Amino acid sequence: MSRSPRSAAARRSWGEDDAGCTILHVDMDAFFVSVELLDRPELRGRPVIVGGDHRGVVAAASYEARAYGVHSAMPASRARLLCPEAVVLPGRHDRYSEVSRQVMDVLAEVTPVMEPVSIDEAFLDVSGALRRMGRPVEIARWIRREVRSRTGVPASVGVAATKHVAKIASAHAKPDGLLMVPVAATVPFLHSLPVGALWGVGEKTREVLERHGLDTVEDLAHTPLPTLHRTLGVAAGQRLHDLAWGRDARAVQPTRVEKSVGTETTFARDVTDRSHLERVLLEQAHQCAARLRADAVLTRTVAIKVRFADFTTLTRTRTLPAATDLAHDIVAAARDLLAAVDIPPDGVRLLGVRAERLSSAVSTGVQAALDEDPHQALAERAMDGVRARFGPQLLRPASLLGRKDRSASPSASGDIS
């Protein structure tokens, strides 16, 4: 999405006719911060940053912190300089996942044609819910009301005829708002926006377009296709040209399968102790495995990411003999991969584990190997139930019990892509 300020045209109402606007994009506002404020209401109205110690990155920032220029993915050191009075909180991704599931349960009541995009956003095609729930805007209002009532967190909703426009509309509805873009107003709405608002225009592409004098979506829309092909390539040029004219044939995909599940930890101090790194891998493997089981998927490939003190970053992957959703299997592969990595004298700055090549546990079956220990599987699934009822910190691997590691902070824990 664009970094540019929203134009007055983008903020104004685009009409009342929602006929044909059956695509909704639901986006939670500053989700991690909103969840933290549920548990710490005394912080409301104050600048709050979630994630990242002095060496990590910002996972989320409240709107009060954003007023100082703080944004997600910004180095935490930079965020502290911009907003020294901000309250910085560590990430609690188990808590965020809990609230996310509550939000998704609300959306699932509207329609099964729902495509979760991340932990805090989803697309819905409500065409099958119109007779039961009313017009698209009425459904959007119901969603915002129910999400707020049941979870306590705000949601912004964009309503449009396509996924692309619905996503842009929800961004312009923030914070805590609703924006509907009628079919007839789609092109005027898009052409009022800076070119960076188009889905897929990142920082580098935006700079290329602006160097060619294409500052707005309208500029791009009226640029001859051969020129866009030369500037961006045939595929990208054609795609952005279509989006600039409101053409987006992508349907909401309710069976979208996540490509990977992973978690990373940025250490407060560079770590040279290999046993310390292995303990971190163990905790990360349990986080990944719990998420795999929650999503009813299995992994066939385990990857580790290691970033050294000089910011050199390497990744190593291993294909497992059989698909699994057990931390026992994930950590075994991850430790083998780490064993082959030479730890420099300056140590490791960041360590991460990722489960890749996911497949459905329903179709594949959860018995991953003939020699799998059934007690291991039962134990890990029992741990899921205890954590869900009493909290994630109550039950941990024995080697991690009673251990509070202050040298590490989650930088992207629970990341889904």
Side-chain angles (χ1 to χ4, degrees), residues 24-291:
L24 275 59
H25 183 253
V26 181
D27 198 355
M28 310 308 295
D29 298 334
F31 182 57
F32 294 173
V33 172
S34 295
V35 174
E36 293 295 340
L37 295 181
L38 292 178
D39 301 331
R40 301 187 63 177
E42 71 276 8
L43 296 180
R44 294 189 184 278
R46 298 180 60 183
V48 176
I49 295 172
V50 172
D53 56 14
H54 65 287
R55 288 152 53 87
V57 296
V58 173
S62 68
Y63 286 95
E64 291 82 4
R66 295 182 194 185
Y68 289 84
V70 178
H71 58 79
S72 60
M74 171 182 284
S77 56
R78 173 65 176 161
R80 288 178 181 272
L81 287 174
L82 291 173
C83 188
E85 62 267 44
V87 177
V88 181
L89 303 175
R92 297 186 298 156
H93 292 275
D94 290 318
R95 177 69 169 130
Y96 308 148
S97 295
E98 175 190 356
V99 178
S100 174
R101 285 191 290 272
Q102 295 171 2
V103 172
M104 297 304 167
D105 286 346
V106 173
L107 303 186
E109 292 183 20
V110 176
T111 175
V113 189
M114 177 180 71
E115 180 182 346
V117 179
S118 66
I119 194 172
D120 61 351
E121 62 175 311
F123 286 103
L124 288 80
D125 184 336
V126 299
S127 55
L130 300 181
R131 180 173 296 181
R132 175 171 56 91
M133 297 189 69
R135 301 181 68 86
V137 167
E138 293 171 347
I139 295 174
R141 290 174 180 145
W142 182 90
I143 288 172
R144 294 186 63 242
R145 183 171 60 251
E146 290 299 309
V147 168
R148 170 79 78 168
S149 172
R150 300 189 204 179
T151 70
V153 297
S156 293
V157 182
V159 184
T162 67
K163 292 172 72 173
H164 177 236
V165 179
K167 183 173 177 66
I168 294 177
S170 69
H172 286 278
K174 288 177 176 286
D176 194 15
L178 187 160
L179 179 62
M180 189 272 295
V181 181
V183 173
T186 294
V187 171
F189 169 71
L190 289 171
H191 288 191
S192 74
L193 302 174
V195 71
L198 289 178
W199 200 349
V201 175
E203 189 75 16
K204 292 184 178 179
T205 302
R206 182 182 61 82
E207 291 174 356
V208 169
L209 291 170
E210 289 179 352
R211 281 201 302 270
H212 286 78
L214 306 180
D215 298 317
T216 68
V217 175
E218 184 174 21
D219 293 336
L220 187 146
H222 289 97
T223 300
L225 267 175
T227 302
L228 292 178
H229 291 169
R230 289 193 300 271
T231 303
L232 302 171
V234 174
Q238 183 65 59
R239 178 175 57 83
L240 292 182
H241 187 263
D242 286 341
L243 294 179
W245 286 104
R247 296 189 289 266
D248 180 14
R250 292 171 300 171
V252 175
Q253 300 290 338
T255 57
R256 179 178 180 267
V257 177
E258 303 293 353
K259 296 179 181 179
S260 64
V261 172
T263 179
E264 297 176 358
T265 300
T266 298
F267 300 107
R269 295 178 298 278
D270 297 326
V271 176
T272 57
D273 182 358
R274 190 176 288 273
S275 63
H276 183 156
L277 296 174
E278 290 183 350
R279 288 195 298 270
V280 172
L281 286 179
L282 176 60
E283 188 153 21
Q284 292 176 335
H286 274 279
Q287 292 176 21
C288 288
R291 184 56 192 265

Side-chain angles (χ1 to χ4, degrees), residues 257-258 296-300 323 356-364:
V257 177
E258 303 293 353
V297 292
L298 305 173
T299 180
R300 193 61 187 266
E356 302 176 341
R357 290 181 60 196
L358 306 187
S359 59
S360 170
V362 177
S363 59
T364 307

